[in-house]
Structures are given as C-alpha cells and as structure tokens.
C-alpha cells in the first residue's frame, strides 16, 4: 500500500502504509456511522408511531 509514494514521490508516513490505510478506513467508517444513524432514526420513527 504505497501508492501515494509511487504517484507523488513523497512519503507522508515514511513508508508504513498507515496514511493509505486511513484513506480507506475513514470513509468506510463514516459510511458505517451514517448507516447506523439512519437505522436509529428509522427505529425512532417506528417507535413514535406505535
């Protein structure tokens, strides 16, 4: 996972791959969080109708 180094010629994480990992992990985590919040809101609406 060193595509940043290959594309831009600089290493923000000294070659450890952490930066590239975070480029994928943060958006995926954000999508999971948004999905969880949407599910919570849907359940709250159902509970109010009952």
């Amino acid at each position: 996972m060193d595509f940043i180094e290959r594309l831009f010629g600089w290493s923000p994480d000294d070659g450890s791959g952490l930066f590239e990992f975070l480029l994928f992990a943060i958006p995926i985590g954000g999508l999971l969080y948004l999905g969880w919040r949407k599910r919570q809101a849907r359940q709250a609406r159902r509970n109010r109708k009952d």
Side-chain angles (χ1 to χ4, degrees):
M1 288 186 41
D2 60 346
F3 64 88
I4 296 293
E5 289 86 355
R6 290 182 192 176
L7 287 174
F8 300 109
W10 64 284
S11 179
D13 55 5
D14 291 328
S16 72
L18 179 64
F19 184 73
E20 289 88 354
F21 172 75
L22 291 175
L23 285 177
F24 290 106
I26 291 172
I28 289 170
L31 289 172
L32 290 173
Y33 174 74
L34 289 174
W36 175 76
R37 291 287 299 187
K38 185 175 182 178
R39 184 174 182 201
Q40 294 283 43
R42 190 179 316 136
Q43 287 177 348
R45 280 194 306 268
R46 277 193 210 141
N47 290 339
R48 276 188 261 143
K49 290 179 182 179
D50 291 343

